[in-house]
Amino acid sequence: MNSRVEVLARVRGAAVGSISGAVSIAAHGIAGAGVPPSEAAVVLLLAVCAAVGAAVAALRVRDRDAVVLLAALTAGQLVGHTTLGLVGDHAHSLGLSAPMIAAHLAAIVVSAGVVHGAERACLRALAAVTRTVLVILTPPPVDAGTWSPIPVYRAKLSLWLLISAAAGTRGPPTLA
């Protein structure tokens, strides 16, 4: 498993767990006429949602598998609903009415969009950090100069002078 898949799995697990808990508290607060759940119910809900998030983070799935994401969000909301329904002191039972099912389905779709956005944001942030670290840690280029063992310019006049000097009338000076 590469690091990108591991990071996406952790982001997905944290998002699914926290969104499941937040939606459960908000939905049961609305259904209970604004009465907040008890502290024991909230603590149990946090433990259950953390377990759901850890289970989702442990799954080996591709980074864009929508079916698994929707199933995880559905399971998280079902577990959260059941936990607060069993422990909480709300007026409704564990049964699901049509408006409640519609609200949960809408929350699942919206939550899937939020999780997908969080995954994309995480990937972009990691890419930016990686590029920044690579720029910072890249050593500066060494200036080796422009010396070359092969001459760039060869004078043709000097060769002509050397060749013509051998055939000339060079000798001792004359006394004339």
Side-chain angles (χ1 to χ4, degrees), residues 42-70:
V42 171
V43 170
L44 183 60
L45 177 69
L46 288 175
V48 167
C49 288
V52 168
V56 171
L59 292 176
R60 290 185 179 219
V61 285
R62 293 184 311 248
D63 55 349
R64 299 284 190 257
D65 196 0
V67 175
V68 173
L69 177 61
L70 291 173

Side-chain angles (χ1 to χ4, degrees), residues 60-143:
R60 290 185 179 219
V61 285
R62 293 184 311 248
D63 55 349
R64 299 284 190 257
D65 196 0
V67 175
V68 173
L69 177 61
L70 291 173
L73 286 168
T74 304
Q77 287 190 20
L78 183 64
V79 167
H81 177 85
T82 305
T83 302
L84 286 181
L86 289 175
V87 179
D89 299 326
H90 289 291
H92 70 283
S93 65
L94 287 178
L96 294 174
S97 64
M100 188 178 291
I101 291 174
H104 276 290
L105 289 176
I108 288 170
V109 171
V110 170
S111 299
V114 169
V115 172
H116 181 68
E119 289 175 351
R120 288 186 56 176
C122 179
L123 286 178
R124 289 186 183 202
L126 285 176
V129 167
T130 302
R131 285 191 305 267
T132 304
V133 167
L134 286 177
V135 166
I136 290 172
L137 295 181
T138 301
V142 177
D143 185 21

